[in-house]
Amino acid sequence: KMAAIRQEILSSKNSREYQKLKWEELRKGINGLINKVNSSNIREIVVSLFELNLVRGRGLLARALMKAQLASAGFTHIYAAVVAVINTKLPENGELILKRLVFGFRRAYKRRDKLVATAFAKFLAHLVNHQVAHEIIALQLLAVLLEEPTEDSVLIAVDFCKEVGSILMQLAPQGLIAVFDRFRAILHDGEIDKRVQYAI
């Protein structure tokens, strides 16, 4: 009986149930591939992702990548490489992921959620390294973090600079020098904790 119902659903491609079924298949496919990706199988995973409907499932892809990166920050460079490859063929997907990351970072930073803010900042840094995101985004993020320095914001900025400093030195050396001047001023003021001062 279930097979007959399923066949009836599949026979009418415009029905709501068929669309729900296809959406669920797409979600499971994207999540499964993103959860399996690592440095040894990235090529095969990206090819498999392109076989799915990434135009329809770009929101699903963004959510899957952000969740996976939050769960395992050690794989951030791999997730950023996946985004970089997808961005070459489907730039609107790269743009959506970037927008959601910036929005997620801003929300986490306002809530003082250091864990999420640090993870999203790391993801943004790797996207700048892969030139999916423009270096101005990196400089703006550093400006926000160091505008009113707290212990957490300075630590996030230090980690972010470690990830993105090399490419900023090549693409925007004046901006990086300004960031280092700001770090120097924060150290000179001496108002933050010794642990944070040592991190700088």
Side-chain angles (χ1 to χ4, degrees), residues 28-149:
K28 285 180 182 173
I30 289 172
N31 285 343
L33 289 170
I34 294 302
N35 290 335
K36 277 192 273 186
V37 73
N38 59 45
S39 56
S40 60
N41 69 0
I42 190 167
R43 180 175 288 160
E44 294 81 23
I45 294 289
V46 168
V47 169
S48 299
L49 277 170
F50 277 122
E51 289 170 3
L52 299 173
N53 186 351
L54 291 182
V55 174
R56 183 178 186 197
R58 66 182 182 204
L60 295 173
L61 178 69
R63 187 179 302 134
L65 281 162
M66 289 169 69
K67 272 187 177 177
Q69 191 265 343
L70 275 175
S72 52
F75 285 102
T76 302
H77 61 288
I78 294 168
Y79 299 131
V82 169
V83 174
V85 174
I86 290 170
N87 189 57
T88 60
K89 304 283 186 215
L90 300 165
E92 59 277 358
N93 286 39
E95 184 184 4
L96 179 68
I97 292 165
L98 196 58
K99 283 180 179 177
R100 286 193 179 180
L101 275 172
V102 169
F103 182 74
F105 172 81
R106 283 173 54 189
R107 190 172 54 206
Y109 185 66
K110 280 181 186 170
R111 291 179 180 171
R112 302 278 187 238
D113 187 345
K114 185 184 174 194
L115 198 70
V116 175
T118 304
F120 285 164
K122 186 174 184 175
F123 205 163
L124 284 166
H126 281 284
L127 289 179
V128 171
N129 288 339
H130 284 287
Q131 296 189 341
V132 173
H134 199 275
E135 65 272 9
I136 288 177
I137 289 177
L139 293 171
Q140 287 174 333
L141 191 136
L142 285 165
V144 166
L145 288 169
L146 299 175
E147 190 175 20
E148 295 173 14

Side-chain angles (χ1 to χ4, degrees), residues 16-29:
R16 189 180 179 93
E17 288 76 19
Y18 176 81
Q19 294 298 328
K20 273 186 179 178
L21 196 70
K22 282 298 184 189
W23 181 259
E24 202 56 34
E25 280 178 22
L26 182 61
R27 187 183 64 78
K28 285 180 182 173

Side-chain angles (χ1 to χ4, degrees), residues 1-11:
K1 189 176 178 181
M2 282 300 287
I5 293 171
R6 187 176 168 84
Q7 193 58 42
E8 187 181 316
I9 289 171
L10 292 176
S11 64

